[in-house]
Amino acid sequence: MEFEVFGIHAGLDVRTKVPWSETELMDLYEKIGQPCVILTTCHRFEIYSEIPVETAPILKRYEKEPIEIYTKSGKEAILHLLEVVNGLHSQIFGEDEILRQVKQAYEFSVHMHRCSSALHFIFQQAIKCGKEARTKYRMSQHPLSLAYIAVRSMGDVSGKKILLTGNGEIAARILNYLKDKPCEIMITARNKEHAASMLETVRHAVFVPFRQRYEAASQCDILCSATSAPHYVYRYFPCSKPLRLYDFASPRDIDPAFEHDPDASVYTLDTLAAIAKENENIRHQELGHVRKLIDQYAEMISACKEDAARNHTLLSLQQAVELVSRETYEYLEHKLDLNEREKSILKKFLNASMFRLMRTPIQEISRHYDQLEPETLNRLFRQP
């Protein structure tokens, strides 16, 4: 049984040009047409599968864009997934958001009926590893979620006006960090119903109708936007006073033109990653423990996969023996004039003879499976 990962790493500009909506991911699952899990994060796109997937339709979307492509297989791919789950490949080292993103990607594959039993097992163990690492080690005591970093970078928000746009996970986390601070919070969304849960969380927050967001933005000190819109939610307007803008979206919510305004300070997914260096030193101190845990899970997953592969091979061999025996019997039954008793004896004799012939090869394959080349086994047991 194999395990593969195909990945694309791209910068913020490319991610803005080539976003993947839920509908597009659904279409991609249909085009791939085989068991897989598609993971899209702030700076990567990955497909995990048992056998390599056809990548031409995917790469066509990134044509002429500066991207980095990578592939891994077998235990190397398992290690990669475990490292991803634990945030070792994230822009923000050891960040917590990735565990939720991997879990969502796995659940979406299940929803699309594209998750095989092998992928079920691997992703369940990977998620378990991520949870265990965050529970046991100090990396989890120094949160590096985007929301946490952003709120810390705001400094003292006493008396500040903060406009929050969006009603997703990141927006909810920012609100949770700000709710007990002495600041004025405004929330805008497409309609008040979308913002209902957030307004319930912070009862002193003020709802701003979406059409009035620019008026509110011009009055606030801090603007945070975290939506899934495919276009700019805030196009540039001249800042009449110092304004901090936090753009948590990919593609971007906030017009890059703000970056040229001397009164504006713009924080994107990439710039927030740089701020995370403050906590990375502490997390790196626990890296040895996390890597040891990752290695333990990788060995366990690989061992279980090898057992599954061995059982699959032996079952395939037994099925091949049964097929030859059945086809031989059907051929002789048509050629010979046999009564029911003779037919029964012939069928039993053929089955017993075939399995007696293959008993030793089956036993030897079981004992020395790890020493055999997978391609050799595939050629031996490939049915005509």
Side-chain angles (χ1 to χ4, degrees), residues 55-321:
T55 60
I58 302 165
L59 294 176
K60 190 172 182 180
R61 289 198 65 185
Y62 293 91
E63 194 172 9
K64 297 181 180 179
E65 298 292 347
I67 60 174
E68 175 191 343
I69 299 170
Y70 51 92
T71 59
K72 301 176 188 294
S73 61
K75 189 174 180 180
E76 187 183 13
I78 293 172
L79 280 169
H80 178 79
L81 174 60
L82 292 170
E83 290 170 354
V84 167
V85 166
N86 283 284
L88 304 193
H89 290 281
S90 297
Q91 283 182 306
I92 303 171
F93 179 80
E95 57 104 354
D96 300 322
E97 288 291 318
I98 188 62
L99 179 60
R100 178 183 63 84
Q101 292 169 329
V102 171
K103 188 171 183 290
Q104 286 182 335
Y106 161 62
E107 291 173 346
F108 193 66
S109 173
V110 174
H111 172 73
M112 293 296 297
H113 306 289
R114 284 293 184 269
C115 198
S116 65
S117 58
L119 292 177
H120 270 296
F121 173 73
I122 293 170
F123 272 83
Q124 286 170 359
Q125 294 304 312
I127 292 168
K128 183 180 177 183
C129 176
K131 290 179 179 178
E132 185 174 341
R134 286 162 173 81
T135 301
K136 282 186 175 180
Y137 305 118
R138 287 198 301 156
M139 290 175 75
S140 62
Q141 295 176 18
H142 299 269
L144 287 175
S145 69
L146 297 179
Y148 176 81
I149 295 168
V151 172
R152 280 196 60 182
S153 72
M154 293 175 189
D156 185 7
V157 296
S158 300
K160 301 289 186 182
K161 291 184 179 181
I162 302 175
L163 176 61
L164 187 57
T165 308
N167 62 327
E169 183 74 18
I170 291 179
R173 291 193 176 198
I174 293 171
L175 189 63
N176 190 55
Y177 287 125
L178 292 173
K179 64 182 180 181
D180 296 322
K181 297 184 181 295
C183 58
E184 182 180 332
I185 300 174
M186 298 178 284
I187 298 173
T188 184
R190 287 292 176 184
N191 56 63
K192 196 169 185 178
E193 287 72 25
H194 288 168
S197 61
M198 299 179 69
L199 293 169
E200 184 69 23
T201 301
V202 182
R203 293 188 177 273
H204 63 268
V206 176
F207 176 73
V208 175
F210 194 71
R211 65 182 180 278
Q212 297 176 14
R213 66 190 183 281
Y214 280 101
E215 180 182 346
S218 65
Q219 298 173 3
C220 70
D221 302 290
I222 299 171
L223 168 62
C224 301
S225 191
T227 78
S228 57
H231 49 71
Y232 295 141
V233 176
Y234 290 95
R235 295 203 171 272
Y236 174 74
F237 59 85
C239 298
S240 58
K241 63 177 182 175
L243 175 63
R244 284 175 175 257
L245 302 102
Y246 292 85
D247 190 341
F248 298 92
S250 178
R252 292 177 65 166
D253 276 353
I254 297 174
D255 193 334
F258 279 102
E259 296 172 6
H260 304 295
D261 191 316
D263 287 320
S265 300
V266 181
Y267 296 79
T268 67
L269 292 172
D270 289 345
T271 52
L272 288 172
I275 298 173
K277 295 298 180 182
E278 182 180 341
N279 271 1
E280 279 196 14
N281 290 335
I282 298 174
R283 292 195 171 220
H284 274 293
Q285 292 172 12
E286 298 299 325
L287 180 58
H289 298 300
V290 175
R291 282 210 172 275
K292 186 176 180 180
L293 181 67
I294 287 173
D295 289 339
Q296 291 172 353
Y297 268 85
E299 289 295 333
M300 180 271 293
I301 293 172
S302 297
C304 290
K305 281 169 60 60
E306 287 171 3
D307 289 342
R310 179 188 288 108
N311 293 337
H312 176 74
T313 297
L314 296 177
L315 178 60
S316 296
L317 180 54
Q318 291 176 3
Q319 290 173 339
V321 170

